Amino acid sequence: MPLALLALAIGAFGIGTTEFVVMGLLPQIAGDYGVSIPTAGLLVTGYAIGVVVGAPLMTVLGTRISRKTMLMLLMGLFTVGNLLSAVAPSFGLMVAGRIVASLAHGAFFGIGSVVAAELVAPDRKAGAIATMFTGLTVANIVGVPLGTFIGQAVGWRATFAAVAALGVVGLLGIARLVPELPRQQGAHLRRELTAFRNPQVLLAMAMTVLGFGGVFAAITYIAPMMTQVARYSEGAVTWLLVLFGTGMFLGNLLGGRYADRRLMPMLYVSLGGLALVLGLFTVTAHSKVLAAVTVLLVGGLGFATVPPLQKRVLDQAHGAPTLASAVNIGAFNLGNALAAWLGGTVITAGLGWTAPSWVGALLAAAALVLALWSAALERRAPAAALAALAG
């Protein structure tokens, strides 16, 4: 494994920690600021929207500098945003800090995916992307539970200060280990925008929005759902997040392995399984044992979609992958924002703490339909080309 992939995984670890740790701290943050838990869920929505906006914006701004330099600048921005979150005196400034940190997220994973793919042979690209995303999944096994523990024991502000320190470590790792890859000849905004003319690129991004949104519909409100419905103690939320992270880790590895072999079948299995498990979560949430198993499965099936979806976009974007790759990372977080908002809406409507799981199941099922449609269009395209030639 190239050491540069390790450096990218370190950066992903820091970003993954800050993205997911807030979910285990929503009750504490809501209590300190005097807002409701669904309102505190805006910290998830705001972060996700920031990723959606920041992914193309930061990528475009970085087209004139080397990818390594841009990755370092992004980690610096990430660090500043988390420091602001740690000291924010009001809920509004807390949201602002989350948004500042989130601006680095999409471009980091988008540019990082391209760099990772360039460092290995063509038949190992999905595996290289999965290696980088391993940092994100390990964050959910180590970083998020540790951050949740620190937040519950010392205070959530200490958690965000620690995440800012992770940002510094990530920046130093990139500076030392990532090589100065040559800039792509003729790379400019107009060329990058051509990728969006391909319907398959847009379909892959729509799958990303809906599929990963299904995960976040349920997981955003995991803390109140597990304490109020499954009757876990507040401290047990930390270990449930470890289970979720373990599922993410395993799903990411499997997704990376099989996406290099049979990409679309991997998507069918993971999206179909995710829709089924999220639907069952409305029932299993009432049992401690079954709820824990379901949390593991949601993490595994959800993250099994990440390497194949990211590789699908890179493959379909052809010679202009950087912006499309970054925008697809934004699509993951657009799904997060949509799902967090929809989940909060059904809770506020009085449908109960398990209602977001139904939202997630419907989103994942819609993503599966799009995957089947995308494959059907792809099969039809060669036939149409042959018919045109024959005519």
Side-chain angles (χ1 to χ4, degrees):
M1 179 184 71
L3 286 178
L5 293 180
L6 175 61
L8 294 173
I10 292 171
F13 178 85
I15 292 175
T17 299
T18 202
E19 180 181 18
F20 292 103
V21 75
V22 71
M23 294 182 292
L25 299 174
L26 282 183
Q28 289 76 21
I29 295 172
D32 279 1
Y33 285 122
V35 300
S36 68
I37 288 179
T39 298
L42 291 174
L43 294 172
V44 178
T45 303
Y47 185 95
I49 291 173
V51 176
V52 174
V53 174
L57 177 63
M58 293 295 143
T59 302
V60 169
L61 292 176
T63 54
R64 296 185 178 275
I65 61 177
S66 73
R67 287 169 178 160
K68 174 177 179 176
T69 300
M70 191 59 191
L71 288 171
M72 292 171 63
L73 290 174
L74 291 169
M75 288 308 299
L77 183 64
F78 165 83
T79 301
V80 170
N82 280 287
L83 283 175
L84 179 57
S85 295
V87 301
S90 67
F91 183 72
L93 283 177
M94 173 66 173
V95 173
R98 292 282 291 168
I99 291 174
V100 170
S102 71
L103 292 175
H105 182 126
F108 180 88
F109 281 107
I111 295 171
S113 293
V114 176
V115 171
E118 288 182 355
L119 291 170
V120 297
D123 62 344
R124 297 179 59 198
K125 287 185 177 183
I129 294 169
T131 298
M132 182 188 70
F133 276 94
T134 296
L136 181 63
T137 60
V138 171
N140 284 272
I141 301 174
V142 179
V144 172
L146 181 59
T148 302
F149 174 78
I150 292 172
Q152 292 174 348
V154 181
W156 59 265
R157 294 183 186 276
T159 298
F160 286 96
V163 171
L166 280 176
V168 174
V169 174
L171 191 157
L172 294 175
I174 292 167
R176 182 171 181 82
L177 299 176
V178 173
E180 283 283 5
L181 295 173
R183 291 183 63 225
Q184 186 177 4
Q185 293 298 317
H188 51 73
L189 179 59
R190 182 178 299 177
R191 183 166 185 248
E192 291 289 337
L193 288 173
T194 59
F196 297 94
R197 297 177 185 173
N198 185 348
Q200 291 289 0
V201 171
L202 301 179
L203 278 172
M205 291 179 179
M207 284 182 253
T208 298
V209 171
L210 296 172
F212 211 65
V215 176
F216 259 68
I219 296 302
T220 295
Y221 301 98
I222 186 173
M225 182 166 60
M226 291 297 95
T227 55
Q228 299 297 318
V229 180
R231 300 299 178 185
Y232 276 105
S233 67
E234 187 176 88
V237 173
T238 299
W239 302 109
L240 289 168
L241 289 174
V242 171
L243 275 179
F244 178 65
T246 301
M248 290 172 65
F249 176 79
L250 296 174
N252 179 61
L253 292 181
L254 290 173
R257 166 179 281 188
Y258 290 105
D260 277 324
R261 300 179 184 177
R262 302 189 68 192
L263 191 150
M264 294 308 292
M266 184 66 208
L267 279 178
Y268 303 151
V269 171
S270 56
L271 289 172
L274 181 62
L276 177 62
V277 168
L278 285 169
L280 290 174
F281 206 1
T282 59
V283 177
T284 60
H286 295 273
S287 163
K288 286 186 175 181
V289 174
L290 293 179
V293 172
T294 307
V295 167
L296 176 71
L297 290 174
V298 169
L301 291 166
F303 247 74
T305 68
V306 175
L309 283 171
Q310 196 68 3
K311 184 175 185 292
R312 178 77 171 171
V313 169
L314 290 175
D315 289 346
Q316 297 297 327
H318 303 301
T322 306
L323 183 59
S325 176
V327 171
N328 195 52
I329 298 297
F332 280 108
N333 286 271
L334 179 59
N336 298 353
L338 174 67
W341 174 73
L342 288 173
T345 298
V346 295
I347 291 172
T348 302
L351 298 180
W353 293 112
T354 62
S357 294
W358 280 121
V359 173
L362 292 173
L363 291 174
L368 175 60
V369 171
L370 287 183
L372 293 168
W373 184 28
S374 175
L377 289 176
E378 196 167 37
R379 286 193 299 269
R380 202 175 302 163
L386 287 174
L389 288 173

